Structure formats: C-alpha cells, structure tokens
Amino acid sequence: MSKDEFSRVSLLNAHNSVYKYDIISLCETSLSKDEVVPENILPGYQYHASNHNSGEKKGGVGIFYKDTLPIIILTDLSFDECIVAELRCGRKKIFFTVLYRNPMHIASSPVFLKFMDNFRDVYLKIASEKPYFVLFTGDFNAHSIQWWPNGDSNNEGTQLNILFSELGLTQLISEPTHFRDHCHPSCIDLIICDQPNLVIDSGVRSSLDQTCKHQITYCKLSIKSHRIPPYKRQVWHYDKAKRDLITRAITDFQWEFHLNNIPNPNSQVKFLNKTILNIITNFVPSSSLNTNINEPKWITRDIKNLLRKQKKCYKKYRLNGFKADDKVVVDRIRDECFQAIQISKENDLKSLGNKLIDKATGSKSYWCIINGLLNKCRIPRIPPLLVADKIITDCKEKVKLFNDYFLDQCKPINNDSSLPIFTRITHSNLETIVINLSLIHI
C-alpha cells in the first residue's frame, strides 16, 4: 500500500468514483510499525489498520470507511491481522470483519488451527450480540471447488468450508479472484455472510493495479446508509461575455419608468437584481456542473468512461470462461486506465503548481490549494461517540455532550486551599453607579 508514497490510493480513488463504496477493505497492506497512512488520503474516508504483529512490511489488513458512517472498531474482538467493526443503522447491528490468512501455514499446522479457532470465537461473540447481519471478507488463501467449480481444492479450503457450514455461513464469491501468469486462476478472496437474502449483488471487479494479481470483490446490501449527495454548480464563463451587448441592454432599458411604477423600495431592489441577472444570463455563457465534495478534480469524465469500459471488458472476460484472448484485452484496458489516471493527476498537480506561483492568485485560493496538497480536512471530523452503550452520530448531540463534559470539568474543587490576599494596584476604585430615568434614552 505504501509503495511509491501511497500512489496506489489514486487508483483506488478513481475506481471508487464510479462505484461509491461505503467501506473499502484491504489485505496485505504491508505497512511497517513506523509507517503512518496520511490523514484524508482518500477524501471523505477514515482509515484503520491492523498491521503484522512483527512490525515488518508484510501481511496486514486495513479498512477505509466513510466518515459519515456510525461505525465503531471493536478491538476486543479482533485478533492478529483482523479488524472487526460494528455499524449501527437505527436499531440494527451490522458487523463487518476483514482478515488475512498467511498461505505459508498448512492445514495441519498449529497456526492454521489457531486461525480456525479465532474465526469461530469471533463469530460466536458477534452472534451473542444478536446482530442483524454479519459479514466476513478477506484473503483466505485457500481453494475449494465448492466456491468455484472450475477451480481445485486443498486441505485448507476443505476445512474452512466445513467450518462455514457448521456456523451456518454462506460464501458468496463464485468466480476466480487471483490471476497469476502461467497459472490456473483461483478463488481465494472470499465474502462470507450469515444472511445471503439481504445481499442485492456480489461478485468480482477488475483491478486497476498493474502489479496486483488479486481482483476486487464487492458486496451490496439491502441496507440504507446516509450519503452526501452531489450538488450542482453554475459556472459562468466571463472571458466569453459579450460586453458590448451587456452595456447596450443596460443603457437602453427604461429604468425610471419601471422603477417609478414600483412604490415599495424592497420590491424595487428585487426588480433591479432580477433584471441585471436576466441580462447577464443572456450574454454571459454558463454551464451546469455536478460536483461531488469528496471527488478530486483529476477524476475526469474520460477516466470514468474508461473505467466503465474496463467493467464491460471484464464482464465479457468472465462470461466467456476467462479465455486467454479476452485477458489480453482486459490487461490492455487496465493499462489504459492506469496511464490516464497518472497523466490526469500529473496535469492537475502542474495546474495547482502554476496557480501557486501566479502572483494574481488570491490568498483564499492559495491556502485552499496548500491545504488540499497537505491533505488537510475542510472541517475537523469527530467520529461517532459511544455514550452509555449508545452510538451518537448527530452533530448537535455531540456538541451538547462535549459541552456538558467540559462544564463538569470546570466546576470548582472543594478543598482546604485559600485564595491569595487581594491587593489594589491603584487608589482609584468604582463603588456605586447611579442610573435614573433621565439618563435612559429609548
């Protein structure tokens, strides 16, 4: 994940601009104990990691989740290279778990048996909370023909499949997720849940990373969550304005006649504004843009079209039975997407650099660019608060709770200490103030 200063996050950001995920889980993040993921590296999302317990650059998992989600990371339920999160939608408890299993440990090893026990214990503890929905995902590094009939099976996959059946869980992915050169594809990245009837859609999407052999697994649930909708902006192209026509329209308009027929000054102001805006609208070209507050400017319409094209190619590749000829096309489209993203991001950075060195750039625009490059948030993000076993997501409630807390901290402490003796600095002092009716002006 940290390769080339977290450059892979740009690919993830571009992919997410089309699909708008609420939670994004990552496996094999390979972060050392000294590496920290920059804040707001994926705008609108917060990141939580569970790196390898040795502190070395290997293994590990992490999740990006929307900062508007009422989510809590349950560290008491997690184990090594595993993250358990609880999401509450009203009274419904939804548990999301991402984990990674090292393929070096075979079925008969103590580490694999411990992984099985940890998985079982986590599910039983979650089940005791009476959840509405439970989902596990991650890189299990195991094979089973029960997951993908055209694949193969090994002892690890067989034992995991038996464990899922004992716990009443269903594995949703039924196509290959891992492609290596000169090797048969395999289904090792899984999504397991307890209620498949709540799943609207699930499957595999093509990755944009040229070096990653894993594809992206996804799952869409029949559960509503709050989203910040995109908003429309009217952009005026003042450099293309027809100034002579604007001047003529304002000069030829009979202002005195119309304004004299309106006795109310407030109505006169409204009429003036409406007329001026109407003239400007007629002679200054404009366009309407849909703006997403969490979407970078370098994600253009051409990039989104390429991503949709990649989706169609991968779908054709899957329907044709993962033929080698179709894979060539999939890889070519993936490389085109990768190059387009790199070029677009580089051009955006050059544009920002030119604005920074331009003396005509205002201070507001200057600091807006600086804060964007430093990944500074527009507003401080306060995560959901757990108070009296209740998750607080409403901003007003959070403010009230913080206010009550600090008020309680400011109460005087009753003890044996005494205040110092008061000494006057000057001989002048104010003893009384006399106010009578004659001094009060209404």
Side-chain angles (χ1 to χ4, degrees), residues 235-248 250 279-286:
V235 180
W236 300 91
H237 306 289
Y238 294 106
D239 55 332
K240 299 179 182 179
K242 300 176 181 178
R243 299 183 179 182
D244 53 339
L245 297 179
I246 294 174
T247 304
R248 185 189 306 173
I250 294 175
I279 294 173
I280 295 299
T281 303
N282 291 331
F283 301 115
V284 178
S286 65

Side-chain angles (χ1 to χ4, degrees), residues 252-267:
D252 295 344
F253 190 78
Q254 298 179 1
W255 293 104
E256 293 183 5
F257 173 78
H258 290 283
L259 292 175
N260 289 334
N261 291 331
I262 304 174
N264 190 341
N266 292 329
S267 300

Side-chain angles (χ1 to χ4, degrees), residues 320-331:
N320 290 343
F322 304 100
K323 294 181 179 179
D325 294 340
D326 292 331
K327 189 175 188 304
V328 174
V329 179
V330 170
D331 292 342

Side-chain angles (χ1 to χ4, degrees), residues 205-298:
R205 289 173 176 149
S206 179
S207 172
L208 293 174
D209 192 349
Q210 298 172 319
T211 59
C212 183
K213 307 303 179 184
H214 294 265
Q215 305 305 308
I216 300 171
T217 58
Y218 70 94
C219 179
K220 185 177 181 180
L221 305 181
S222 179
I223 299 170
K224 291 184 179 180
S225 62
H226 174 71
R227 290 187 177 183
I228 301 176
Y231 60 92
K232 285 188 177 181
R233 289 186 60 187
Q234 195 74 11
V235 180
W236 300 91
H237 306 289
Y238 294 106
D239 55 332
K240 299 179 182 179
K242 300 176 181 178
R243 299 183 179 182
D244 53 339
L245 297 179
I246 294 174
T247 304
R248 185 189 306 173
I250 294 175
T251 305
D252 295 344
F253 190 78
Q254 298 179 1
W255 293 104
E256 293 183 5
F257 173 78
H258 290 283
L259 292 175
N260 289 334
N261 291 331
I262 304 174
N264 190 341
N266 292 329
S267 300
Q268 289 180 342
V269 172
K270 289 182 180 179
F271 178 79
L272 175 65
N273 291 337
K274 182 179 178 180
T275 306
I276 293 294
L277 286 175
N278 185 43
I279 294 173
I280 295 299
T281 303
N282 291 331
F283 301 115
V284 178
S286 65
S287 59
S288 181
L289 296 178
N290 286 328
T291 304
N292 193 327
I293 192 171
N294 293 323
E295 194 169 281
K297 294 182 179 179
W298 55 265

Side-chain angles (χ1 to χ4, degrees), residues 56-267:
E56 300 177 1
K57 289 176 66 68
K58 60 181 180 180
V61 296
I63 63 169
F64 285 104
Y65 58 91
K66 282 190 174 179
D67 48 20
T68 56
L69 286 180
I71 196 169
I72 292 180
I73 306 298
L74 304 176
T75 55
D76 56 327
L77 294 183
S78 305
F79 54 92
D80 293 341
E81 296 178 289
C82 168
I83 297 174
V84 182
E86 179 185 355
L87 174 67
R88 291 192 184 181
C89 297
R91 297 182 179 181
K92 299 173 182 177
K93 294 182 179 181
I94 301 166
F95 288 86
F96 178 90
T97 303
V98 56
L99 46 85
Y100 171 74
R101 192 192 76 81
N102 194 319
M104 294 179 59
H105 307 296
I106 59 176
S108 58
S109 66
V111 177
F112 179 81
L113 297 177
K114 184 179 179 181
F115 175 85
M116 297 273 286
D117 292 338
N118 288 336
F119 186 95
R120 182 184 290 106
D121 291 342
V122 168
Y123 176 73
L124 294 177
K125 289 178 181 178
I126 292 175
S128 65
E129 297 290 329
K130 298 180 180 180
Y132 180 74
F133 185 80
V134 180
L135 185 140
F136 293 88
T137 186
D139 184 359
F140 286 78
N141 281 306
H143 301 185
S144 174
I145 58 173
Q146 299 295 326
W147 305 334
W148 182 45
N150 294 333
D152 58 352
S153 294
N154 57 16
N155 293 333
E156 294 80 23
T158 302
Q159 292 195 34
L160 283 171
N161 198 40
I162 293 173
L163 176 62
F164 300 158
S165 299
E166 290 177 351
L167 298 176
L169 300 175
T170 303
Q171 204 286 117
L172 302 177
I173 303 301
S174 58
E175 56 184 288
T177 64
H178 188 249
F179 297 84
R180 297 178 62 184
D181 297 335
H182 311 297
C183 291
H184 192 65
S186 57
C187 178
I188 61 176
D189 304 288
L190 311 178
I191 297 177
I192 305 106
C193 69
D194 63 340
Q195 294 193 67
N197 55 300
L198 294 178
V199 177
I200 298 175
D201 188 20
S202 63
V204 180
R205 289 173 176 149
S206 179
S207 172
L208 293 174
D209 192 349
Q210 298 172 319
T211 59
C212 183
K213 307 303 179 184
H214 294 265
Q215 305 305 308
I216 300 171
T217 58
Y218 70 94
C219 179
K220 185 177 181 180
L221 305 181
S222 179
I223 299 170
K224 291 184 179 180
S225 62
H226 174 71
R227 290 187 177 183
I228 301 176
Y231 60 92
K232 285 188 177 181
R233 289 186 60 187
Q234 195 74 11
V235 180
W236 300 91
H237 306 289
Y238 294 106
D239 55 332
K240 299 179 182 179
K242 300 176 181 178
R243 299 183 179 182
D244 53 339
L245 297 179
I246 294 174
T247 304
R248 185 189 306 173
I250 294 175
T251 305
D252 295 344
F253 190 78
Q254 298 179 1
W255 293 104
E256 293 183 5
F257 173 78
H258 290 283
L259 292 175
N260 289 334
N261 291 331
I262 304 174
N264 190 341
N266 292 329
S267 300

